[in-house]
Amino acid sequence: MSPAEAKNQIKALTTELKQHNYNYYVLAMPTIADFDFDKKLEQLNKLEKEFPEFADPDSPTQKVGGDITKEFVTYRHRWPMLSLGNTYNEQELLDFDQRIRKAIGDNFEYVCELKFDGLSMSLTYEDGKLVRAVTRGDGVQGDEVTANIRTINTIPKRLYEGGDYPNYFDIRGEVFMHRKAFDRLNNERLENGEVAYANPRNFASGTVKMQDSAEVAKRPLDCFLYFLYTEKPVFKTHWESLQAVKSWGFHTNEHSRLCNNIDEVFEFIAKWDKDRFGLSYDIDGIVIKVNNYSQQQELGFTAKSPRWAIAYKFKAERVQTELLSVSYQVGRTGAVTPVANLKPVLLAGTTVKRATLHNANEIIRLDLHEGDTVFVEKGGEIIPKIISVNPDKRAQNAVPVVYRTTCPACDTPLERKEGEAAFYCPNDEGCPPQIVGKMQHFIGRKAMDIDGLGDETIETLYSRGFISHISDIYKLYEHADELKQMDRFGDKSITNMLDGIEKSKQMPFEKVLFGLGIRYIGETVAKKLAIHFKSIDGLMAATQEELVTADEIGERIAQSLVDYFADEKHREEIEKLKALGLQFVVEIKEVKLASEKLSGQSFIISGVFEKFSRDELKDLIEQNGGKILSSISAKLSYLVAGDNMGPAKLEKAQKLNIPIISDEELLAMIEI
Ligand code: AMP
Ligand code: ZN
């Protein structure tokens, strides 16, 4: 293949696979079989190896910034992971009950459990230790994701010694993300200019499939366990096994209930159909299992699922309403998001007037026409979604909704970056919602947190021509008298605001850096960059290669920084802010930490830590006179080990008899 051909193919495959990842993980609507995806990914991987010069740094074959790849070892399940029969109505549930009675008589119990909306996981324990975690995959074999699963706090890595658990067992359950964590992390993604996930389940499954366990550790997952598999029978009933695994330290769900008959099952269903919105996590139904194991055995399996269990799925509430119009919102990064304005309709207890349309692809997927009647659904999620269009109600001459080609705010032609679903308004200097959004981001609670200045005031001050750049905020005091004349403000509120602005000059560099609103630079990343580069000058001088050497900084973030600082306008603004007295250097605190306690000692830090980043630990060691080495040798004094450390390093350290200590032991050495 000629280089030109390779270049084209790499480009085409990259774009296509990115779109598939997006469809799969964000929209939850894959349009390609897993197998075909894998084949294309393999092809891309091969081409990139042969022609590395054409590889996109953000290629789907790389796990840049913690996105998806599919490179896991497949592992065959000791016991196949079957799915469950599904029903949506009560009659089918009565039929299920009848079938069971026919086969085993009337003397049996059911266990009712919530059906957690996550992804199922099979865990294997040997001698009380978690040795393997495997996804369901096709039911016969799945992906081995042990390192990622080990980051989940509620999954025991080791059971207490001497417990009455078998030497070998599999335990299965559902990995999920609590809705609160989902909202928080998803908002962070949006703020950082990344695409948001559609629901907690997709976020959880996207997370479990990440290559970088350190990134997984930052996303709080939880897991409820609900099936125990042992070589020899240990318990007589499922209920007993649930109590037992709980006593071994596993997280089981407290709402499971033993039911004597199908009427009690219906009661349970009715309760949770109503109460499910009050849970901190999403459920999509109820699972009903025959309790007694020997009765389960008698009932047996069909090819796909057990005959002794069934899932009753809740109907997501769905209503029809009319599409009134599509409007477009411009975010601070310039991303333009379409929103459907709907004829108000009551749904799951609230009046719905708007639904997000995500992006242009979604409009195409729905084949949305003006005046369409649409089906709107609200599951566990807060934001209602348009599921589909009712084609029967479409007027004959209805015209398709066409995504607009210019910015709704400033009329600039929109642009789309390759491989991205969103359209952008490139006019960042002249587009009002972008200008206002950037200033609002800067004063926000997580950034400069300026007292006495809020989002609305920013809008007013902008529309009256007082501010259009961050630096203008710091010159507002020059207009104090004019501002006091304005009917909206009182003397006192102006004074408060100006005080707040003055005080914010003391905010640390990491907050200023985050406040600048550089794409992909979220709160945590800003902190890492500040720690590593110490000042804006250091950061601006860093090349792409130097940037990626910092803790957790990938190619995508590095590229975004390089682009940002290459822009003359940005450099000028930074100079202005510097002159105004904002913090652009990390304040080297003369903290009492600094000591000579570690002098003469050398350290290597490896793995991930709950409370510290590696850079923070490094700083701590150096501030106390210790030295950081780059590779393990007999000269090394200590290996500071966190979670998910590479096995090779560990082995080498053990061979050389180097003491392995935890972060806490390190702190104890410096006594803080
Ligand atoms: P489905 O994917 O709709 O066929 O439903 C079967 C899936 O429900 C299983 O593979 C599990 O991942 C999931 N599930 C959620 N909660 C439970 C539960 N309490 N017991 C068994 N399976 C459950
Ligand atoms: Zn614009």
Side-chain angles (χ1 to χ4, degrees), residues 407 410 425 431 434:
C407 175
C410 73
C425 166
C431 181
Q434 291 189 59

Side-chain angles (χ1 to χ4, degrees), residues 84 86 113-116 120 136 174 226 287 289 313:
L84 293 173
N86 269 330
E113 295 169 17
L114 304 182
K115 188 172 185 301
F116 316 107
S120 48
R136 174 153 109 183
E174 199 83 353
Y226 50 63
V287 181
K289 302 169 180 171
K313 293 225 188 170

